[in-house]
Amino acid sequence: MSIADANCEQRRVGRAAAVTAISKAERFRANHRWKVLGIGVAANASFSATFAGIPAAAVFLRSGYQLSNGNLGLVLGLLGLGVALSELPWGLLTDRWGDRGVLLTGLGATAAWLALMAFFIVPSATYVPGVAMLAACLLATGLLGGSVNGSSGRAIMAWFHEGERGFAMSIRQTAVPLGGGLGALVLPSLASAHGFAAVFGLLAAVNAVSALFAWRWLHQPPEVDPEIDNAGGIATTKPAGPAPLRNVEVWRIATAIGLLCFPQVAVLTFASVFLHDFAGMGTLTISASLAAVQTGAMIMRVWSGRFTDRHGNRRWFLRLCSMTSALGFAALGLLVLAAGATPGAHAALMPAIAVLLVVAGISVSAWHGVAYTELATLAGASRAGTALGLANSFVFIAFFVVPTAIPALLLVWSWPGVWLAGALCALAAWPILLRPN
């Protein structure tokens, strides 16, 4: 074969490869990325209903399993610890195996485990599971569910381009308050009326349905050459910069994310107990208040994603959220202190306290999509699983530390100390967050 013939054959093979890539991209038209986003929302909402919904039923968990406040904090904290321990390994595995396999494995295993809990780890008239058994089961639930966050985030980074990633990731992050809000509305009443067999059974079914969606629609995006990327494919790019675990900026954002989660987790895990024990509110009012926090957080996350995509000001927005959250929880702590010090004003201040709790809870939950987008962008789409896993390890360390620390804070400083400590954590995140470019 002559050199000319060889060059001709090489061009023919190249054109065939390009046509194949475009043909593959045609199978996944541009709107397929919205299906992938929907799967990410469903997966995160399913697990969020588990790790945020169970604490919303903390009053019934405490009575049904005959727990002290200390034991209640322990079992809820171990749910978060399980996620914290597994997030980074799941993230590393996601970057190696791909998001589809990890998400299917995690959702399926979580659903199966919750189904087993519904049959064997529920209190009855003749049997109450011990604290150690309940704690171990919730720890295992967290270990399995830690697969969801990094894998769904990496899928979104792979399917969406830079100009819309903040919006897409923020929509995905609305799944956390969406699932938590639905859990707060449904699970306390379900636990009260039908017990925890119904609670765990419903959560198992929701995770199983999300796994089915992922099996049907979650695939790797077509990777095509940037010069021919006109059919909805994702252009191939090589990661730039150091690996996530050797990138100081990645560690700074992940650390700040963890600090901002401390006051957020305090709301998610013990707000129901606070409103019941301190404010004397009933189940319906408590559920409505927690649902308002989650609904407001959803709205703010979507808005902030679109806003920061348009203005390119993610780092500025994160620092703003840190400061406003610190102010909100400081005001809440001082108001609770005033209500406790002035018995006559206790009842009069309760509506204001409930409203301020909702406002502070929304403020400290509004930044997630923006923070995760900035983090994944620093790491690169192909290594986003590791970076997101690192951040979520810090997030769920908060889910372990906060519920176990709050009972001790209550003994020493009561409820004002809890909310003022949350303000200090939010303030501490401000200097760690990266300055605007």
Side-chain angles (χ1 to χ4, degrees):
M1 180 183 294
S2 67
I3 295 176
D5 290 339
N7 289 337
C8 181
E9 177 66 15
Q10 187 175 16
R11 287 195 297 272
R12 186 189 68 78
V13 172
R15 284 195 299 270
V19 170
T20 301
I22 294 175
S23 176
K24 186 177 181 182
E26 290 286 350
R27 275 200 307 128
F28 300 114
R29 300 294 299 182
N31 63 356
H32 186 82
R33 70 191 192 281
W34 299 107
K35 293 181 182 178
V36 173
L37 178 57
I39 292 165
V41 170
N44 278 266
S46 300
F47 189 60
S48 175
T50 303
F51 76 75
I54 291 175
V59 173
F60 299 103
L61 194 72
R62 182 174 61 181
S63 60
Y65 287 88
Q66 300 176 12
L67 304 173
S68 65
N69 274 346
N71 286 335
L72 176 64
L74 174 65
V75 298
L76 294 179
L78 284 174
L79 175 60
L81 179 63
V83 186
L85 293 174
S86 66
E87 276 283 358
L88 185 55
W90 280 119
L92 291 165
L93 202 58
T94 298
D95 288 342
R96 180 177 292 270
W97 279 5
D99 36 74
R100 175 182 168 85
V102 170
L103 194 58
L104 283 173
T105 300
L107 285 172
T110 303
W113 183 255
L114 286 166
L116 289 173
M117 288 181 64
F119 280 105
F120 300 112
I121 313 296
V122 292
S124 65
T126 58
Y127 170 69
V128 177
V131 174
M133 180 174 290
L134 177 63
C137 287
L138 290 180
L139 175 67
T141 303
L143 289 170
L144 296 172
S147 60
V148 170
N149 296 301
S151 56
S152 62
R154 185 180 185 274
I156 289 168
M157 288 295 293
W159 275 95
F160 285 83
H161 295 283
E162 173 56 30
E164 54 190 13
R165 280 173 175 166
F167 181 56
M169 195 73 83
S170 293
I171 290 177
R172 185 201 74 142
Q173 285 303 122
T174 63
V176 178
L178 173 64
L182 291 174
L185 282 174
V186 174
L187 296 188
S189 299
L190 192 64
S192 176
H194 302 288
F196 278 89
V199 169
F200 297 142
L202 176 62
L203 292 173
V206 169
N207 280 274
V209 170
S210 295
L212 182 62
F213 289 156
W215 174 80
R216 176 64 180 84
W217 285 303
L218 181 58
H219 303 281
Q220 291 297 111
E223 293 184 348
V224 300
D225 189 281
E227 295 181 359
I228 61 170
D229 185 16
N230 57 2
I234 303 300
T236 55
T237 56
K238 294 183 178 180
L245 297 183
R246 296 198 300 269
N247 189 326
V248 174
E249 292 185 334
V250 167
W251 277 93
R252 285 181 63 178
I253 294 180
T255 302
I257 285 173
L259 284 170
L260 284 171
C261 280
F262 274 63
Q264 181 191 6
V265 173
V267 173
L268 292 176
T269 55
F270 267 81
S272 61
V273 177
F274 167 70
L275 293 174
H276 179 271
D277 293 356
F278 183 81
M281 295 180 178
T283 300
L284 183 61
T285 305
I286 293 171
S287 294
S289 298
L290 295 179
V293 171
Q294 304 287 20
T295 302
M298 287 171 57
I299 294 170
M300 284 299 298
R301 288 181 188 190
V302 174
W303 174 84
S304 65
R306 176 63 75 184
F307 176 75
T308 54
D309 272 349
R310 288 178 175 175
H311 297 279
N313 58 351
R314 291 176 193 145
R315 297 180 183 183
W316 171 86
F317 181 80
L318 292 174
R319 289 165 71 86
L320 176 67
C321 286
S322 171
M323 189 56 64
T324 56
S325 299
L327 292 173
F329 280 96
L332 177 61
L334 294 174
L335 196 60
V336 172
L337 184 64
T342 313
H346 187 277
L349 288 176
M350 284 310 103
I353 286 174
V355 170
L356 192 52
L357 176 67
V358 170
V359 171
I362 291 172
S363 175
V364 82
S365 303
W367 49 267
H368 282 262
V370 176
Y372 284 130
T373 305
E374 181 67 15
L375 184 66
T377 300
L378 282 171
S382 65
R383 300 186 298 200
T386 300
L388 295 175
L390 176 65
N392 281 311
S393 294
F394 284 105
V395 169
F396 286 95
I397 286 172
F399 269 92
F400 170 66
V401 172
V402 171
T404 54
I406 283 179
L409 282 173
L410 287 174
L411 289 175
V412 178
W413 292 307
S414 192
W415 287 109
V418 171
W419 305 126
L420 290 173
L424 289 175
C425 290
L427 184 62
W430 186 82
I432 298 173
L433 287 162
L434 301 176
R435 292 182 179 274
N437 295 324

